Amino acid sequence: MSFLNKYEKIKINKFIKKGYLINKTENKKSLFYISNLVNKTASKILGTKKINLNYIHRLVEKKHLNEFRLSVIKNINKDRNLRYHYFNVGKSNLYELVGNELMMQKNINLSIQFPNDETSLLPIHSDVWSGDSAFEINLWLPLVNCYRTKSMYILKENKYEILLKRIKKLKIKSSQKIFESVKGYLKWIKIDYGNYLLFNQAVPHGNIVNSENETRWSMNCRF
């Protein structure tokens, strides 16, 4: 006997089929807390006032990007309230999709991708390929509007078997060749600030060079 209502069943089946779900932030105060914390931390590191995250590439040299990113990550994770607010961003959907007995990743990750920067790429991959649990779900939170190459991609539903067959048949051994073999089956995620993405990290995903004129800021955490 199922205790799920009709709406919950539709949502769960949709997530299982597509591999991801986009929803409005469930707690605007928590989103503001996170966004403000990141902005204040980045501004303090740079010794400036509040910044426009979309154009941070005008203030930080590309060669210093990773050092800057790691410094922001280290400092925001010192905040004892960060994980509480991050969880509250998508609490109800996490309960519905994963359950209410949750383990949460200790530190929240942050990605910063400058325009035309080839050093911040995450080639197509599935997290389970490198040992992560297939029972984890990733809450991906944009701090700016993300679209086209300023976002991430995910393999479309029902294409995973095709990918595995091509890897085996063509004896593909590099992520770039994997990408080329299935690029027609990739879904680019369009998601604006104020929304969050929950995705099945077992489904292949990644990004390419950001060819837009704005920087991508996104956070992610596994549950």
Side-chain angles (χ1 to χ4, degrees):
M1 180 178 179
S2 174
F3 294 100
L4 299 173
N5 61 42
K6 181 179 178 181
Y7 173 74
E8 291 169 338
K9 289 179 181 178
I10 291 174
K11 183 189 296 184
I12 291 169
N13 289 332
K14 184 178 180 181
F15 177 81
I16 291 172
K17 180 180 178 181
K18 297 183 68 175
Y20 71 92
L21 174 74
I22 294 176
N23 206 62
K24 287 188 178 296
T25 302
E26 297 170 18
N27 189 312
K28 292 183 178 180
K29 289 184 178 180
S30 285
L31 175 63
F32 177 78
Y33 185 94
I34 295 167
S35 181
N36 189 53
L37 173 64
V38 171
N39 202 305
K40 284 173 60 178
T41 301
S43 299
K44 185 176 180 180
I45 292 171
L46 295 175
T48 184
K49 296 180 180 179
K50 188 174 182 179
I51 56 179
N52 186 329
L53 299 182
N54 277 301
Y55 301 107
I56 190 68
H57 53 277
R58 297 176 180 176
L59 301 176
V60 179
E61 292 184 53
K62 188 182 298 185
K63 63 182 179 180
H64 297 310
L65 172 57
N66 196 48
E67 178 185 355
F68 170 72
R69 183 182 69 87
L70 292 176
S71 182
V72 175
I73 290 174
K74 178 181 178 181
N75 283 283
I76 63 174
N77 278 288
K78 290 179 180 178
D79 188 288
R80 294 183 178 181
N81 296 314
L82 174 61
R83 295 171 78 246
Y84 166 81
H85 286 292
Y86 201 90
F87 172 61
N88 275 334
V89 162
K91 180 178 179 178
S92 66
N93 275 322
L94 285 168
Y95 278 167
E96 290 177 15
L97 296 174
V98 190
N100 60 6
E101 296 182 359
L102 292 171
M103 291 177 61
M104 181 180 183
Q105 185 174 314
K106 184 176 181 180
N107 291 317
I108 313 296
N109 288 324
L110 171 69
S111 295
I112 306 174
Q113 190 179 13
F114 283 178
N116 305 310
D117 178 18
E118 297 183 356
T119 66
S120 303
L121 302 184
L122 199 59
I124 188 168
H125 68 288
S126 164
D127 291 7
V128 299
W129 292 351
S130 56
D132 281 280
S133 171
F135 300 99
E136 293 175 349
I137 193 171
N138 199 317
L139 196 165
W140 197 89
L141 182 68
L143 299 179
V144 293
N145 293 344
C146 294
Y147 54 91
R148 297 194 294 268
T149 57
K150 191 189 172 190
S151 187
M152 61 172 279
Y153 60 76
I154 190 168
L155 187 67
K156 290 182 179 179
E157 59 263 31
N158 304 321
K159 303 301 180 183
Y160 189 59
E161 291 298 326
I162 293 176
L163 170 61
L164 295 180
K165 288 178 181 178
R166 289 187 178 181
I167 291 176
K168 185 176 181 180
K169 181 179 180 180
L170 302 175
K171 298 181 180 179
I172 297 175
K173 295 183 178 180
S174 75
S175 57
Q176 182 58 34
K177 288 186 177 180
I178 292 175
F179 174 81
E180 292 294 334
S181 71
V182 295
K183 62 182 180 181
Y185 298 135
L186 301 177
K187 168 69 176 180
W188 289 93
I189 302 297
K190 182 181 184 303
I191 179 169
D192 290 339
Y193 173 77
N195 297 274
Y196 66 89
L197 167 73
L198 285 172
F199 73 94
N200 177 357
Q201 61 183 18
V203 179
H205 56 281
N207 66 6
I208 62 173
V209 174
N210 176 9
S211 60
E212 316 307 325
N213 62 2
E214 299 172 338
T215 292
R216 169 167 72 90
W217 289 70
S218 62
M219 303 176 76
N220 66 86
C221 179
R222 297 180 180 90
F223 291 84

